[in-house]
Amino acid sequence: MTPMRILVIGQSGQLARALVDSGRNIGVQIETIGRPALDLGAPDQARNTLESRLTGTNRPELVINTAAFTAVDAAEGKKAAAFQLNRDAVCLLAEVCAAADCPLIHVSTDYVFSGQPGRPWQEGDQPAPVSAYGASKLAGETALAQTWSKHIILRTAWLFSEHAPNFMTKIIERARTQSIIRVVNDQIGSPTPARDLATTLLDMARQVRDGTTPWGLYHYAGDTAMSWADFAEAVIREAGLPDCRIERIASSDFPAAAERPSWSVLDSHRTTEVFGCAAADFKAGLSRAVHHYMRLT
Ligand SMILES: NC(=O)c1ccc[n+]([C@@H]2O[C@H](COP(=O)([O-])OP(=O)(O)OC[C@H]3O[C@@H](n4cnc5c(N)ncnc54)[C@H](OP(=O)(O)O)[C@@H]3O)[C@@H](O)[C@H]2O)c1
């Protein structure tokens, strides 16, 4: 069988880079497209670029969208820009994919939830975002679902990888020079290795090609719920930086422009049942990403 051709929207982002790494390992033909060739903030030009890419020779069999306005705090002051990228551009992409009959896998976020503590969030639970970022991502999910039936929306959470910058790499950098790092302890989520998410996305893509896909909404995240402070401690332990200590603080001690959910743990069971992809092994993923980053820096 010829290698599957996948177009990844987004180029320099950590998930786009993880997809390229994973695709190389399993022989999938991945092309990424990002700025300046594709600027989703310029809709007319973006539509033309996408239309020609999706209808030309060697066109992709499937599109994975990793592009987003991901700056959670900045989104509060730039709501229009966040909604433009996270809702309107997703709608545009869905329209172009529909016209080309090209399936679309879109990545969304745990921040669509409100964060009341309880059991892990399932796909049928009612979202209630508490930030502009979360609201704009939820609006993108709705726009996609209303525009193109051959879609998968995969919500994920707290991504980390050796591709800086992300929470893991920031903690390592600070722990190299500081003896104490203050980290919030009252937001609980599911840190997810970007590499495992990439593998799962490519596995889903393969199953789309096989024609066995139940389209719709899924969750995929790491298998261990923890606070940012727990996550930071796990990072410095794994990195072997014992001279640094994590001081646990409340969100109210660390004022930020955007509110974050206090509980955004995702339940990955449906993804496991339907696609056979188990929740990511946090411990193994952290070890791999930390040691890869330490070798690079
Ligand atoms: N990071 C997390 O913790 C997390 C958690 C939950 C969900 N997610 C979701 O996972 C997905 C991937 O996140 P990530 O961590 O890889 O984000 P990232 O590292 O911030 O990358 C964002 C991507 O968006 C692209 N982009 C931004 N503005 C663009 C524009 N105007 N035109 C075209 N492309 C643009 C960038 O492309 P270029 O720079 O290459 O142009 C980049 O590849 C996003 O949908 C995000 O909402 C992330």
Side-chain angles (χ1 to χ4, degrees):
M1 195 182 270
T2 53
M4 187 172 186
R5 293 185 312 281
I6 296 176
L7 179 66
V8 171
I9 312 295
Q11 208 155 42
S12 65
Q14 67 167 330
L15 181 55
R17 294 169 75 187
L19 279 162
V20 170
D21 294 341
S22 299
R24 200 180 295 125
N25 290 341
I26 60 168
V28 172
Q29 200 181 309
I30 290 188
E31 187 194 335
T32 58
I33 187 164
R35 291 165 294 181
L38 175 70
D39 183 356
L40 291 167
D44 292 342
Q45 179 229 1
R47 185 179 292 276
N48 287 339
T49 304
L50 287 166
E51 278 174 354
S52 67
R53 192 59 202 83
L54 263 62
T55 51
T57 51
N58 207 25
R59 65 195 205 192
E61 293 164 81
L62 178 136
V63 171
I64 300 176
N65 182 31
T66 71
F69 190 111
T70 55
V72 176
D73 288 317
E76 295 300 317
K78 295 184 176 168
K79 287 196 176 73
F83 274 83
Q84 201 280 321
L85 218 63
N86 292 345
R87 178 193 58 200
D88 303 346
V90 175
C91 188
L92 185 157
L93 183 58
E95 286 169 2
V96 176
C97 285
D101 192 24
C102 181
L104 173 60
I105 302 182
H106 172 68
V107 181
S108 192
T109 175
D110 56 329
Y111 278 20
V112 299
F113 289 112
S114 62
Q116 289 143 11
R119 59 166 174 72
W121 294 106
Q122 297 173 348
E123 290 81 349
D125 290 328
Q126 186 62 39
V130 292
S131 65
Y133 168 73
S136 65
K137 291 291 289 183
L138 180 60
E141 293 182 3
T142 307
L144 168 53
Q146 288 172 347
T147 306
W148 179 217
S149 56
K150 292 184 184 173
H151 73 265
I152 292 171
I153 295 166
L154 190 61
R155 290 184 184 142
T156 190
W158 296 25
L159 292 182
F160 65 90
S161 69
E162 63 274 18
H163 300 302
N166 58 70
F167 182 81
M168 182 202 89
T169 63
K170 285 179 190 164
I171 291 293
I172 292 174
E173 287 313 318
R174 291 178 62 185
R176 280 173 163 159
T177 56
Q178 295 176 21
S179 56
I180 297 178
I181 310 175
R182 303 172 81 223
V183 185
V184 297
N185 194 40
D186 54 3
Q187 295 167 23
I188 313 293
S190 321
T192 308
R195 181 71 73 96
D196 292 79
L197 173 62
T199 305
T200 292
L201 287 165
L202 296 180
D203 212 352
M204 288 177 149
R206 181 183 55 75
Q207 295 182 50
V208 168
R209 187 195 225 194
D210 294 346
T212 53
T213 318
W215 308 106
L217 175 65
Y218 296 90
H219 289 173
Y220 180 81
D223 61 4
T224 313
M226 64 185 70
S227 70
W228 289 111
D230 297 331
F231 187 11
E233 275 183 351
V235 170
I236 58 173
R237 214 172 26 245
E238 191 63 46
L241 297 165
D243 295 339
C244 178
R245 179 173 73 76
I246 301 300
E247 183 184 328
R248 292 167 182 264
I249 61 168
S251 303
S252 53
D253 295 328
F254 189 76
E259 190 183 334
R260 269 96 172 151
S262 54
W263 174 270
S264 64
V265 178
L266 294 181
D267 184 335
S268 305
H269 279 103
R270 183 158 184 254
T271 299
T272 307
E273 278 163 27
V274 175
F275 292 96
C277 304
D281 181 334
F282 168 74
K283 238 176 143 197
L286 184 70
S287 173
R288 191 181 54 218
V290 164
H291 294 293
H292 193 148
Y293 182 72
M294 302 289 277
R295 279 197 304 277
L296 292 175
T297 54

